[in-house]
Amino acid sequence: MRGPGAWWRAKSTPAKVETYTRWSFHAFAVIELLAAGLPAFAEVGPGRPGSWLLLFLVGVHAATCAVTASRALDWTRGRRAQPVRLLWVLTTVTAVVAVLTFVIADHAVKGDVADNAGIFSIVVIFGVGNATFGVRGQKRVLAVVGGFAAGSALLTLLLGTPVSGALVTAMVVMISGGALAFTAVFSVWLLDAVYELADARETRARLAVAEERLRFGRDLHDVIGRNLAVIALKSELAVQLARRERPEAVEQMIEVQRIAQESQSEVREVVRGYREADLGVELSGAQGVLAAAGIDCSVDGADTAGLPGEVQSALAWVVREATTNVLRHGNAGQCAVALRVGEGQVVLTVENDGIRAAGTEAGDAGRSVGAGSKLAGRSVGAGGSGLAGLRERLAVVDGTLEAGPVDGEAFRVVARVPLGVEGSAARDSVVSAGSVASVGSAVVPGSAS
């Protein structure tokens, strides 16, 4: 079963920052009620009509602030237009509520004007902070803060506050409102930076895949380009000789056949070399990459000495693929990689806590895996998926692959390869058929197409 915090763990890092920012400003509405509404209610007295009106007015202002902050955050993320009208509504509500709370408190209590000005100031301060959430630019933010401070001084003077008290109120609004406005501006900047970093990471991954495809295409061109040109020329020569019924045409076609067979062998060698990877290098590289991304990665049993080369290559691709998935598609804080050798087999386990919603479609592994992996959301048997690519590699050494969520709390990839297997006829069929198919579609083996 998924724990109570599963909804939070299912979010990406940018989504978490956005949720935190949104609910922080919603919490300001509660703070306003506690700092202004309840004290005013208690001061006037629960049994008097004015107390409930004060509490209602402060509640209306707090709700307006919360709605404005939410709409402004949506505008920041490009989900809606700038809430200009709502900002004017907030400004108007702030002025009206501030004046009414001042008048009602003064009429009901007849106490110190400073107490009434305190409630007035709190309402204006929270209005400033939420209003600056919906504007951009240093000059506009300063204009909003200065405008609210000047308006506060003018309103308190009209309400009978001495000049000194009005100036103090303006200074309080300027300083406290400015601090809250700075918080709003900084929160927006931080949120934008987090989303930009996430986009940059995804772009970097895509560029790496594209660069690898270009390199592979260049290697193939260098290897077989000349041979194909020779085959074309000799075939044309053989056609001309055959039309003239010259016996040399047979010799030319034999030569074409020989070059074609050599080219096929060279393509297989290129693909085979392209598919090879070093397990030890991949294990240490995975730990370094994940650590650089702020993910705690532990590697247990990293001694790969004695393992056959083909087994190391297949398992190295599992490590590479799983690491890529953790970085690109999960939201992990921890990742554990374990390599165990015993009982005639080697077992590689990669587990991380960045699982998202589990898939629902069954496949040959029993289900589609969770979205915490690049293998997620795809049918297990779907062609071109990362899971199918890894199984193709493991099939060369008679290995198996299991991938899926564990108790809704983690995502685990387990690869098992029997020892003493040097490959079989499957290797030739996989390399010649599967690899050449990959070349034709210009995909990186083992990654999503």
Side-chain angles (χ1 to χ4, degrees), residues 281-292 297 299 319-320 323 337:
V281 173
E282 292 299 331
L283 287 173
S284 60
Q287 190 172 24
V289 169
L290 293 177
C297 179
V299 177
V319 174
R320 181 181 298 183
T323 303
V337 182

Side-chain angles (χ1 to χ4, degrees), residues 121 124-125 128 141-153 166-182:
S121 300
V124 176
I125 288 169
V128 172
V141 172
L142 293 177
V144 170
V145 175
F148 271 84
S152 300
L167 292 177
V168 170
T169 301
M171 290 299 297
V172 170
V173 171
M174 176 71 74
I175 297 174
S176 301
L180 199 57
F182 172 79

